[in-house]
Amino acid sequence: MAVDKTDLYDAVAGTGKALAHGKRLEMLELLAQGERPVRELARAVGLKLTTASAHLQVLHEAGLVTTRKRGTSVLYQLAGGDVAGLLSVLCRVADAHRAEVETVRRTHLEPEDIRVVGREELLHAASEGRALVLDVRPAEEYAAGHVPGAVSIPLEELADRLVEVPSETDVVAYCRGRYCVLSYDAVRLLRASGREAALLEDGILEWRRDGLPITTAA
């Protein structure tokens, strides 16, 4: 029997429909950092527990997230690295072809005074000891997976731990993804303290998308 292309595309469109909500995209970015229970996800994205559960159910039915039990808790995780890739590509396509996205991003995330570093430049500088790679995500996200060699100082602790950041070494900060504000705030704080600081173009989302090495805490 011949396949009805309309039915096939309608089935594929179900995945797009599941992505058609900003809070679901935020949840996917958070799950790219590591698995989480629904209560933690709800708190992180600013939703009531029942609303967050409903969004996760949509993502689960679309096959974008999976679950596993740990004791009495249910943990959510991305269904695969390709889901992180899908989210990253979606953001880049919207950034390139939707003027509204580019305007909002440039207004809130890319002030002209912040230098952006690509991954090749970062890895080269780090290998020569010319740069400190700084992960400013929460400690549990760092433990779940981080750029090899990165040092963990969560943004909320950075002001009190500046003494741990060498003043004579360039610092390159990163966080969850290219839309994550944590690293932008970290770079501003570091520069205000007199240190040379730049922003890594990628976050863990893009790192996972491209299958690059990720280190987990022992």
Side-chain angles (χ1 to χ4, degrees):
M1 183 175 66
V3 176
D4 188 327
K5 288 181 64 177
T6 300
D7 290 342
L8 179 58
Y9 282 122
D10 282 345
V12 173
T15 299
K17 185 177 180 180
L19 295 172
H21 197 290
K23 288 298 183 182
R24 290 179 206 149
L25 300 185
E26 283 189 64
M27 287 180 170
L28 291 176
E29 183 184 63
L30 286 167
L31 291 174
Q33 318 306 310
E35 59 184 4
R36 294 171 184 253
V38 60
R39 190 174 300 277
E40 185 177 320
L41 281 166
R43 182 171 60 252
V45 300
L47 292 176
K48 293 182 179 179
L49 186 60
T50 53
T51 304
S53 296
H55 283 307
L56 287 167
Q57 184 62 31
V58 172
L59 293 171
H60 189 268
E61 290 175 355
L64 297 172
V65 302
T66 60
T67 62
R68 75 176 182 91
K69 295 203 71 174
R70 184 179 66 189
T72 59
S73 298
V74 176
L75 301 178
Y76 285 83
Q77 57 192 335
L78 294 186
D82 53 353
V83 178
L86 175 62
L87 176 59
S88 178
V89 169
L90 176 62
C91 292
R92 285 192 176 276
V93 170
D95 203 21
H97 300 287
R98 186 172 171 80
E100 178 186 359
V101 175
E102 181 182 11
T103 299
V104 172
R105 177 179 56 78
R106 290 187 178 278
T107 299
H108 296 284
L109 292 181
E110 291 193 3
E112 296 181 355
D113 62 332
I114 290 183
R115 184 168 67 93
V116 179
V117 173
R119 67 178 62 159
E120 291 186 6
E121 181 182 350
L122 168 75
L123 293 173
H124 183 66
S127 67
E128 295 184 344
R130 294 186 289 106
L132 172 70
V133 185
L134 186 63
D135 187 317
V136 296
R137 299 173 299 154
E140 62 271 17
E141 295 182 18
Y142 173 86
H146 54 270
V147 173
V151 173
S152 172
I153 304 182
L155 176 62
E156 61 184 14
E157 301 175 13
L158 184 57
D160 295 327
R161 295 175 59 183
L162 283 173
V163 67
E164 299 176 34
V165 182
S167 58
E168 69 279 1
T169 302
D170 288 353
V171 181
V172 180
Y174 75 89
C175 54
R176 293 164 177 157
R178 68 193 307 256
Y179 290 168
C180 179
V181 302
L182 301 177
S183 52
Y184 289 87
D185 291 342
V187 169
R188 293 188 185 98
L189 195 158
L190 289 164
R191 293 183 62 181
S193 73
R195 290 166 172 79
E196 290 294 328
L199 182 78
L200 178 60
E201 182 180 22
D202 297 328
I204 286 295
L205 174 67
E206 292 78 23
W207 215 262
R208 289 191 186 279
R209 175 199 67 196
D210 294 338
L212 296 173
I214 290 178
T215 301
T216 57

mmCIF file of all heavy atoms in Angstrom, residues 96-133:
data_model
loop_
_atom_site.group_PDB
_atom_site.id
_atom_site.type_symbol
_atom_site.label_atom_id
_atom_site.label_comp_id
_atom_site.label_asym_id
_atom_site.label_seq_id
_atom_site.Cartn_x
_atom_site.Cartn_y
_atom_site.Cartn_z
ATOM 1 N N ALA A 96 18.690 33.397 12.271
ATOM 2 C CA ALA A 96 19.135 33.825 10.943
ATOM 3 C C ALA A 96 18.000 34.370 10.074
ATOM 4 O O ALA A 96 18.224 35.237 9.227
ATOM 5 C CB ALA A 96 19.803 32.659 10.222
ATOM 6 N N HIS A 97 16.792 33.885 10.287
ATOM 7 C CA HIS A 97 15.716 34.206 9.348
ATOM 8 C C HIS A 97 14.523 34.932 9.958
ATOM 9 O O HIS A 97 13.608 35.314 9.225
ATOM 10 C CB HIS A 97 15.215 32.921 8.682
ATOM 11 C CG HIS A 97 16.287 32.199 7.923
ATOM 12 N ND1 HIS A 97 16.790 32.656 6.727
ATOM 13 C CD2 HIS A 97 16.972 31.058 8.216
ATOM 14 C CE1 HIS A 97 17.732 31.825 6.302
ATOM 15 N NE2 HIS A 97 17.867 30.847 7.182
ATOM 16 N N ARG A 98 14.543 35.123 11.262
ATOM 17 C CA ARG A 98 13.435 35.836 11.904
ATOM 18 C C ARG A 98 13.996 37.082 12.568
ATOM 19 O O ARG A 98 14.695 37.013 13.579
ATOM 20 C CB ARG A 98 12.749 34.933 12.927
ATOM 21 C CG ARG A 98 11.489 35.537 13.542
ATOM 22 C CD ARG A 98 10.766 34.516 14.402
ATOM 23 N NE ARG A 98 9.694 35.101 15.165
ATOM 24 C CZ ARG A 98 8.495 35.375 14.699
ATOM 25 N NH1 ARG A 98 8.215 35.118 13.428
ATOM 26 N NH2 ARG A 98 7.559 35.894 15.477
ATOM 27 N N ALA A 99 13.697 38.226 11.988
ATOM 28 C CA ALA A 99 14.286 39.486 12.448
ATOM 29 C C ALA A 99 13.999 39.748 13.920
ATOM 30 O O ALA A 99 14.841 40.294 14.635
ATOM 31 C CB ALA A 99 13.763 40.636 11.590
ATOM 32 N N GLU A 100 12.826 39.356 14.374
ATOM 33 C CA GLU A 100 12.457 39.598 15.768
ATOM 34 C C GLU A 100 13.414 38.899 16.724
ATOM 35 O O GLU A 100 13.819 39.451 17.747
ATOM 36 C CB GLU A 100 11.032 39.112 16.026
ATOM 37 C CG GLU A 100 10.565 39.279 17.466
ATOM 38 C CD GLU A 100 9.201 38.656 17.704
ATOM 39 O OE1 GLU A 100 8.619 38.120 16.740
ATOM 40 O OE2 GLU A 100 8.739 38.704 18.845
ATOM 41 N N VAL A 101 13.803 37.664 16.387
ATOM 42 C CA VAL A 101 14.710 36.897 17.247
ATOM 43 C C VAL A 101 16.070 37.572 17.302
ATOM 44 O O VAL A 101 16.655 37.742 18.375
ATOM 45 C CB VAL A 101 14.850 35.445 16.734
ATOM 46 C CG1 VAL A 101 15.888 34.691 17.561
ATOM 47 C CG2 VAL A 101 13.506 34.738 16.795
ATOM 48 N N GLU A 102 16.591 37.959 16.148
ATOM 49 C CA GLU A 102 17.899 38.608 16.118
ATOM 50 C C GLU A 102 17.884 39.920 16.898
ATOM 51 O O GLU A 102 18.817 40.232 17.644
ATOM 52 C CB GLU A 102 18.328 38.883 14.680
ATOM 53 C CG GLU A 102 19.699 39.531 14.595
ATOM 54 C CD GLU A 102 20.112 39.840 13.172
ATOM 55 O OE1 GLU A 102 19.254 39.749 12.272
ATOM 56 O OE2 GLU A 102 21.276 40.196 12.965
ATOM 57 N N THR A 103 16.801 40.679 16.774
ATOM 58 C CA THR A 103 16.707 41.956 17.481
ATOM 59 C C THR A 103 16.702 41.759 18.980
ATOM 60 O O THR A 103 17.426 42.442 19.717
ATOM 61 C CB THR A 103 15.424 42.705 17.051
ATOM 62 O OG1 THR A 103 15.488 42.968 15.651
ATOM 63 C CG2 THR A 103 15.291 44.014 17.817
ATOM 64 N N VAL A 104 15.897 40.811 19.452
ATOM 65 C CA VAL A 104 15.820 40.546 20.889
ATOM 66 C C VAL A 104 17.159 40.038 21.414
ATOM 67 O O VAL A 104 17.643 40.464 22.466
ATOM 68 C CB VAL A 104 14.703 39.529 21.192
ATOM 69 C CG1 VAL A 104 14.758 39.108 22.664
ATOM 70 C CG2 VAL A 104 13.342 40.119 20.874
ATOM 71 N N ARG A 105 17.793 39.136 20.645
ATOM 72 C CA ARG A 105 19.076 38.583 21.090
ATOM 73 C C ARG A 105 20.141 39.660 21.182
ATOM 74 O O ARG A 105 20.874 39.739 22.170
ATOM 75 C CB ARG A 105 19.540 37.477 20.133
ATOM 76 C CG ARG A 105 20.908 36.906 20.486
ATOM 77 C CD ARG A 105 21.310 35.801 19.529
ATOM 78 N NE ARG A 105 21.305 36.213 18.153
ATOM 79 C CZ ARG A 105 22.272 36.935 17.583
ATOM 80 N NH1 ARG A 105 23.309 37.347 18.313
ATOM 81 N NH2 ARG A 105 22.214 37.270 16.307
ATOM 82 N N ARG A 106 20.227 40.498 20.178
ATOM 83 C CA ARG A 106 21.253 41.543 20.177
ATOM 84 C C ARG A 106 20.994 42.577 21.270
ATOM 85 O O ARG A 106 21.930 43.110 21.862
ATOM 86 C CB ARG A 106 21.325 42.212 18.812
ATOM 87 C CG ARG A 106 21.897 41.317 17.728
ATOM 88 C CD ARG A 106 22.111 42.072 16.430
ATOM 89 N NE ARG A 106 22.705 41.217 15.417
ATOM 90 C CZ ARG A 106 24.006 40.963 15.327
ATOM 91 N NH1 ARG A 106 24.836 41.510 16.193
ATOM 92 N NH2 ARG A 106 24.473 40.171 14.377
ATOM 93 N N THR A 107 19.733 42.839 21.544
ATOM 94 C CA THR A 107 19.390 43.816 22.575
ATOM 95 C C THR A 107 19.748 43.318 23.969
ATOM 96 O O THR A 107 20.303 44.054 24.796
ATOM 97 C CB THR A 107 17.895 44.154 22.526
ATOM 98 O OG1 THR A 107 17.582 44.720 21.258
ATOM 99 C CG2 THR A 107 17.517 45.136 23.629
ATOM 100 N N HIS A 108 19.472 42.060 24.241
ATOM 101 C CA HIS A 108 19.609 41.532 25.595
ATOM 102 C C HIS A 108 20.870 40.706 25.829
ATOM 103 O O HIS A 108 21.333 40.582 26.965
ATOM 104 C CB HIS A 108 18.389 40.685 25.952
ATOM 105 C CG HIS A 108 17.111 41.466 25.988
ATOM 106 N ND1 HIS A 108 16.787 42.298 27.029
ATOM 107 C CD2 HIS A 108 16.091 41.549 25.101
ATOM 108 C CE1 HIS A 108 15.611 42.855 26.796
ATOM 109 N NE2 HIS A 108 15.171 42.419 25.630
ATOM 110 N N LEU A 109 21.431 40.141 24.759
ATOM 111 C CA LEU A 109 22.515 39.184 24.979
ATOM 112 C C LEU A 109 23.853 39.553 24.358
ATOM 113 O O LEU A 109 24.871 38.996 24.742
ATOM 114 C CB LEU A 109 22.104 37.801 24.428
ATOM 115 C CG LEU A 109 20.978 37.096 25.166
ATOM 116 C CD1 LEU A 109 20.706 35.745 24.509
ATOM 117 C CD2 LEU A 109 21.322 36.896 26.639
ATOM 118 N N GLU A 110 23.890 40.449 23.398
ATOM 119 C CA GLU A 110 25.159 40.685 22.717
ATOM 120 C C GLU A 110 25.554 42.159 22.684
ATOM 121 O O GLU A 110 25.627 42.776 21.614
ATOM 122 C CB GLU A 110 25.109 40.118 21.294
ATOM 123 C CG GLU A 110 25.072 38.611 21.269
ATOM 124 C CD GLU A 110 25.331 38.054 19.883
ATOM 125 O OE1 GLU A 110 25.598 38.842 18.958
ATOM 126 O OE2 GLU A 110 25.271 36.830 19.724
ATOM 127 N N PRO A 111 25.837 42.739 23.843
ATOM 128 C CA PRO A 111 26.361 44.105 23.827
ATOM 129 C C PRO A 111 27.709 44.136 23.118
ATOM 130 O O PRO A 111 28.470 43.172 23.156
ATOM 131 C CB PRO A 111 26.495 44.438 25.314
ATOM 132 C CG PRO A 111 26.559 43.122 26.009
ATOM 133 C CD PRO A 111 25.734 42.178 25.195
ATOM 134 N N GLU A 112 27.997 45.248 22.481
ATOM 135 C CA GLU A 112 29.189 45.327 21.639
ATOM 136 C C GLU A 112 30.495 45.212 22.421
ATOM 137 O O GLU A 112 31.531 44.907 21.847
ATOM 138 C CB GLU A 112 29.169 46.641 20.856
ATOM 139 C CG GLU A 112 28.012 46.748 19.869
ATOM 140 C CD GLU A 112 28.036 48.050 19.107
ATOM 141 O OE1 GLU A 112 28.895 48.897 19.420
ATOM 142 O OE2 GLU A 112 27.197 48.230 18.198
ATOM 143 N N ASP A 113 30.437 45.444 23.739
ATOM 144 C CA ASP A 113 31.684 45.453 24.497
ATOM 145 C C ASP A 113 32.119 44.069 24.967
ATOM 146 O O ASP A 113 33.160 43.939 25.612
ATOM 147 C CB ASP A 113 31.554 46.386 25.710
ATOM 148 C CG ASP A 113 30.471 45.927 26.677
ATOM 149 O OD1 ASP A 113 29.511 45.278 26.223
ATOM 150 O OD2 ASP A 113 30.592 46.204 27.875
ATOM 151 N N ILE A 114 31.356 43.022 24.662
ATOM 152 C CA ILE A 114 31.725 41.678 25.097
ATOM 153 C C ILE A 114 32.336 40.912 23.928
ATOM 154 O O ILE A 114 31.743 40.794 22.861
ATOM 155 C CB ILE A 114 30.511 40.917 25.662
ATOM 156 C CG1 ILE A 114 30.095 41.535 27.009
ATOM 157 C CG2 ILE A 114 30.829 39.438 25.844
ATOM 158 C CD1 ILE A 114 28.957 40.819 27.697
ATOM 159 N N ARG A 115 33.533 40.395 24.149
ATOM 160 C CA ARG A 115 34.228 39.621 23.114
ATOM 161 C C ARG A 115 33.747 38.173 23.139
ATOM 162 O O ARG A 115 33.620 37.565 24.198
ATOM 163 C CB ARG A 115 35.740 39.673 23.340
ATOM 164 C CG ARG A 115 36.564 38.970 22.262
ATOM 165 C CD ARG A 115 38.034 39.322 22.397
ATOM 166 N NE ARG A 115 38.611 38.778 23.614
ATOM 167 C CZ ARG A 115 39.222 37.595 23.683
ATOM 168 N NH1 ARG A 115 39.322 36.833 22.596
ATOM 169 N NH2 ARG A 115 39.759 37.194 24.821
ATOM 170 N N VAL A 116 33.465 37.619 21.963
ATOM 171 C CA VAL A 116 32.994 36.246 21.830
ATOM 172 C C VAL A 116 34.103 35.394 21.239
ATOM 173 O O VAL A 116 34.742 35.768 20.250
ATOM 174 C CB VAL A 116 31.730 36.175 20.946
ATOM 175 C CG1 VAL A 116 31.265 34.728 20.783
ATOM 176 C CG2 VAL A 116 30.616 37.026 21.550
ATOM 177 N N VAL A 117 34.337 34.219 21.855
ATOM 178 C CA VAL A 117 35.427 33.323 21.459
ATOM 179 C C VAL A 117 34.834 32.028 20.899
ATOM 180 O O VAL A 117 33.918 31.446 21.481
ATOM 181 C CB VAL A 117 36.324 33.002 22.670
ATOM 182 C CG1 VAL A 117 37.363 31.943 22.314
ATOM 183 C CG2 VAL A 117 37.004 34.274 23.172
ATOM 184 N N GLY A 118 35.359 31.576 19.777
ATOM 185 C CA GLY A 118 34.950 30.296 19.201
ATOM 186 C C GLY A 118 35.625 29.142 19.916
ATOM 187 O O GLY A 118 36.628 29.311 20.613
ATOM 188 N N ARG A 119 35.107 27.948 19.699
ATOM 189 C CA ARG A 119 35.632 26.788 20.439
ATOM 190 C C ARG A 119 37.075 26.453 20.064
ATOM 191 O O ARG A 119 37.854 26.054 20.936
ATOM 192 C CB ARG A 119 34.724 25.580 20.231
ATOM 193 C CG ARG A 119 34.714 25.028 18.825
ATOM 194 C CD ARG A 119 33.844 23.813 18.687
ATOM 195 N NE ARG A 119 32.446 24.099 18.981
ATOM 196 C CZ ARG A 119 31.435 23.343 18.550
ATOM 197 N NH1 ARG A 119 31.680 22.287 17.809
ATOM 198 N NH2 ARG A 119 30.191 23.655 18.843
ATOM 199 N N GLU A 120 37.453 26.628 18.796
ATOM 200 C CA GLU A 120 38.826 26.311 18.405
ATOM 201 C C GLU A 120 39.809 27.265 19.075
ATOM 202 O O GLU A 120 40.872 26.842 19.553
ATOM 203 C CB GLU A 120 38.964 26.360 16.882
ATOM 204 C CG GLU A 120 38.228 25.248 16.164
ATOM 205 C CD GLU A 120 38.508 25.249 14.675
ATOM 206 O OE1 GLU A 120 39.359 26.054 14.228
ATOM 207 O OE2 GLU A 120 37.885 24.445 13.958
ATOM 208 N N GLU A 121 39.466 28.541 19.096
ATOM 209 C CA GLU A 121 40.324 29.518 19.767
ATOM 210 C C GLU A 121 40.429 29.213 21.249
ATOM 211 O O GLU A 121 41.507 29.289 21.843
ATOM 212 C CB GLU A 121 39.762 30.924 19.565
ATOM 213 C CG GLU A 121 40.606 32.027 20.223
ATOM 214 C CD GLU A 121 40.007 33.409 20.064
ATOM 215 O OE1 GLU A 121 39.035 33.563 19.290
ATOM 216 O OE2 GLU A 121 40.508 34.351 20.717
ATOM 217 N N LEU A 122 39.307 28.828 21.850
ATOM 218 C CA LEU A 122 39.300 28.496 23.271
ATOM 219 C C LEU A 122 40.207 27.306 23.564
ATOM 220 O O LEU A 122 41.055 27.357 24.468
ATOM 221 C CB LEU A 122 37.876 28.173 23.726
ATOM 222 C CG LEU A 122 37.771 27.531 25.109
ATOM 223 C CD1 LEU A 122 38.002 28.567 26.196
ATOM 224 C CD2 LEU A 122 36.440 26.836 25.310
ATOM 225 N N LEU A 123 40.020 26.214 22.818
ATOM 226 C CA LEU A 123 40.787 25.001 23.081
ATOM 227 C C LEU A 123 42.284 25.246 22.878
ATOM 228 O O LEU A 123 43.113 24.715 23.622
ATOM 229 C CB LEU A 123 40.299 23.868 22.169
ATOM 230 C CG LEU A 123 38.870 23.383 22.447
ATOM 231 C CD1 LEU A 123 38.437 22.374 21.384
ATOM 232 C CD2 LEU A 123 38.773 22.756 23.829
ATOM 233 N N HIS A 124 42.627 26.047 21.877
ATOM 234 C CA HIS A 124 44.042 26.352 21.623
ATOM 235 C C HIS A 124 44.634 27.160 22.780
ATOM 236 O O HIS A 124 45.718 26.839 23.291
ATOM 237 C CB HIS A 124 44.179 27.123 20.314
ATOM 238 C CG HIS A 124 45.590 27.419 19.929
ATOM 239 N ND1 HIS A 124 46.501 26.435 19.595
ATOM 240 C CD2 HIS A 124 46.269 28.603 19.845
ATOM 241 C CE1 HIS A 124 47.659 26.990 19.312
ATOM 242 N NE2 HIS A 124 47.556 28.302 19.455
ATOM 243 N N ALA A 125 43.901 28.178 23.218
ATOM 244 C CA ALA A 125 44.394 29.016 24.311
ATOM 245 C C ALA A 125 44.478 28.230 25.612
ATOM 246 O O ALA A 125 45.437 28.371 26.384
ATOM 247 C CB ALA A 125 43.488 30.229 24.486
ATOM 248 N N ALA A 126 43.490 27.388 25.863
ATOM 249 C CA ALA A 126 43.484 26.596 27.096
ATOM 250 C C ALA A 126 44.627 25.589 27.107
ATOM 251 O O ALA A 126 45.265 25.357 28.141
ATOM 252 C CB ALA A 126 42.143 25.891 27.254
ATOM 253 N N SER A 127 44.905 24.983 25.945
ATOM 254 C CA SER A 127 45.978 23.985 25.879
ATOM 255 C C SER A 127 47.346 24.610 26.128
ATOM 256 O O SER A 127 48.271 23.936 26.605
ATOM 257 C CB SER A 127 45.969 23.294 24.509
ATOM 258 O OG SER A 127 46.327 24.199 23.475
ATOM 259 N N GLU A 128 47.480 25.895 25.840
ATOM 260 C CA GLU A 128 48.744 26.601 26.063
ATOM 261 C C GLU A 128 48.776 27.305 27.413
ATOM 262 O O GLU A 128 49.736 28.015 27.724
ATOM 263 C CB GLU A 128 48.975 27.626 24.948
ATOM 264 C CG GLU A 128 49.178 26.985 23.574
ATOM 265 C CD GLU A 128 49.502 28.015 22.512
ATOM 266 O OE1 GLU A 128 49.280 29.225 22.764
ATOM 267 O OE2 GLU A 128 50.007 27.622 21.440
ATOM 268 N N GLY A 129 47.732 27.126 28.204
ATOM 269 C CA GLY A 129 47.687 27.741 29.527
ATOM 270 C C GLY A 129 47.426 29.226 29.503
ATOM 271 O O GLY A 129 47.675 29.925 30.489
ATOM 272 N N ARG A 130 46.903 29.742 28.377
ATOM 273 C CA ARG A 130 46.646 31.178 28.264
ATOM 274 C C ARG A 130 45.229 31.574 28.627
ATOM 275 O O ARG A 130 44.898 32.753 28.646
ATOM 276 C CB ARG A 130 46.940 31.634 26.824
ATOM 277 C CG ARG A 130 48.388 31.527 26.414
ATOM 278 C CD ARG A 130 48.623 32.135 25.050
ATOM 279 N NE ARG A 130 48.051 31.345 23.973
ATOM 280 C CZ ARG A 130 46.964 31.656 23.302
ATOM 281 N NH1 ARG A 130 46.295 32.763 23.613
ATOM 282 N NH2 ARG A 130 46.517 30.894 22.324
ATOM 283 N N ALA A 131 44.388 30.582 28.932
ATOM 284 C CA ALA A 131 42.993 30.900 29.243
ATOM 285 C C ALA A 131 42.445 29.943 30.288
ATOM 286 O O ALA A 131 42.771 28.750 30.294
ATOM 287 C CB ALA A 131 42.134 30.847 27.982
ATOM 288 N N LEU A 132 41.634 30.479 31.168
ATOM 289 C CA LEU A 132 40.902 29.687 32.146
ATOM 290 C C LEU A 132 39.472 29.533 31.637
ATOM 291 O O LEU A 132 38.794 30.523 31.350
ATOM 292 C CB LEU A 132 40.886 30.382 33.506
ATOM 293 C CG LEU A 132 39.989 29.767 34.582
ATOM 294 C CD1 LEU A 132 40.549 28.434 35.042
ATOM 295 C CD2 LEU A 132 39.832 30.719 35.760
ATOM 296 N N VAL A 133 39.023 28.296 31.510
ATOM 297 C CA VAL A 133 37.659 28.027 31.066
ATOM 298 C C VAL A 133 36.765 27.971 32.302
ATOM 299 O O VAL A 133 36.979 27.148 33.190
ATOM 300 C CB VAL A 133 37.573 26.707 30.286
ATOM 301 C CG1 VAL A 133 36.160 26.520 29.720
ATOM 302 C CG2 VAL A 133 38.603 26.674 29.169
#
